[in-house]
Amino acid sequence: MLSETVGYLESRRLEDVNFQYEIIVVDDGSTDNTSMTALEFGQKNKNIDLKILKLEKNRKKGGAITQYILFADADGATKFSDFEALEGKLNKITNKDGFGVAVGSRAHLVKTDAVVKRSFIRNFLMHSFHKVLYVLGIREIADTQCGFKLFTRKSALHIFDNIHVEGWIFDVEVLIIAQFLKMPIVEMPVNWHEIEGSKVSLVKDSIQMAVDLLIIRLNYLLGFWKIHDPLSRPKRE
């Protein structure tokens, strides 16, 4: 089966120099020597891009093919130990099409000292940003900006292939696209503590985010930006 698959993929690559592929063999706790067979095949065919994942226990087909993509801020404000809880939430809401997004949230900290003792201007800008989000239609997610989000691989492919903005407002467009594609989204409280030395300029970046929010909303509303399916292929004549 593996040799037949590689044969087909290699023929495609010969036909199209831009065609690329990656083969991932998931050994779902099997007892038939699957991973060793694949490893031996890879050693004999070192020109192919082959990865082997061996699960410790059988998780059935759905569990074996589900892969996740996590993005987390590198400043350590959130705890990576929250990943398991986020993964559990995502497992529960992922639909039959393989779509699901789990969003880490700091909304539960709004009334704690971590937020209450912030400067007036910082809290004013935070609440103003949330009001703008509400007006523009992001109403189900209390904290869009927490840098700790988990996606099924299929969700990530559809979302990030459609992204237009690259600044601080990037997180909002991620959620707008997820909502547009009717992906299940779950928000979960995570551990978080503020890191000193932030590179965010409160007033300047807040104004820029407000402008970017308006640009995003208008572009989607007026149809200048369209969301496409990255897995779809043009029909042959």
Side-chain angles (χ1 to χ4, degrees):
M1 175 62 181
L2 195 53
S3 58
E4 181 182 339
T5 301
V6 171
Y8 166 75
L9 294 171
E10 283 296 307
S11 68
R12 284 287 307 277
R13 185 152 65 176
L14 289 173
E15 294 174 0
D16 182 359
V17 293
N18 295 315
F19 179 79
Q20 298 181 353
Y21 69 87
E22 175 187 48
I23 298 175
I24 301 176
V25 177
V26 181
D27 184 346
D28 190 20
S30 69
T31 57
D32 59 3
N33 219 25
T34 296
S35 56
M36 186 56 67
T37 301
L39 182 61
E40 290 173 354
F41 183 88
Q43 290 172 339
K44 293 177 181 177
N45 300 272
K46 295 185 178 180
N47 62 310
I48 66 173
D49 191 356
L50 173 67
K51 291 182 174 62
I52 302 168
L53 304 178
K54 185 174 177 60
L55 304 183
E56 292 183 1
K57 62 180 181 179
N58 183 275
R59 294 180 56 195
K60 300 183 174 58
K61 182 178 179 180
I65 64 173
T66 301
Q67 295 183 28
Y68 303 109
I69 293 179
L70 171 77
F71 78 69
D73 288 343
D75 60 6
T78 49
K79 299 293 185 183
F80 198 80
S81 56
D82 282 327
F83 171 79
E84 268 189 49
L86 210 60
E87 180 187 22
K89 290 282 188 182
L90 184 56
N91 279 334
K92 290 180 180 178
I93 60 127
T94 299
N95 64 23
K96 60 183 179 60
D97 295 317
F99 290 121
V101 179
V103 179
S105 175
R106 303 159 297 180
H108 61 295
L109 299 172
V110 169
K111 295 183 179 180
T112 65
D113 287 349
V115 175
V116 172
K117 291 183 179 180
R118 282 176 170 179
S119 66
F120 169 78
I121 184 64
R122 193 177 182 94
N123 279 326
F124 172 76
L125 291 172
M126 177 188 72
H127 290 297
S128 299
F129 178 71
H130 289 160
K131 292 292 185 186
V132 174
L133 280 176
Y134 186 87
V135 170
L136 295 179
I138 306 296
R139 301 173 181 176
E140 297 176 3
I141 304 299
D143 182 7
T144 62
Q145 301 308 111
C146 181
F148 201 73
K149 295 180 175 66
L150 185 65
F151 308 82
T152 63
R153 185 180 180 87
K154 189 174 181 181
S155 295
L157 177 63
H158 280 71
I159 291 171
F160 299 125
D161 200 64
N162 282 290
I163 286 290
H164 296 86
V165 299
E166 298 178 344
W168 296 104
I169 212 67
F170 159 85
D171 297 80
V172 174
E173 190 181 10
V174 163
L175 296 173
I176 288 176
I177 294 170
Q179 287 184 339
F180 180 87
L181 294 174
K182 302 189 185 308
M183 294 181 183
I185 304 173
V186 64
E187 188 172 15
M188 191 201 79
V190 294
N191 293 297
W192 178 84
H193 64 282
E194 194 158 346
I195 302 296
E196 296 296 329
S198 171
K199 294 182 180 179
V200 178
S201 170
L202 287 180
V203 177
K204 179 181 176 181
D205 286 326
S206 295
I207 293 173
Q208 186 60 55
M209 288 174 77
V211 171
D212 288 343
L213 267 175
L214 185 58
I215 291 173
I216 289 172
R217 206 56 179 167
L218 286 176
N219 274 292
Y220 281 118
L221 188 63
L222 299 176
F224 296 130
W225 290 354
K226 298 185 184 299
I227 297 174
H228 67 278
D229 182 352
L231 300 179
S232 65
R233 295 181 180 177
K235 294 182 179 179
R236 294 183 179 181
E237 297 295 334

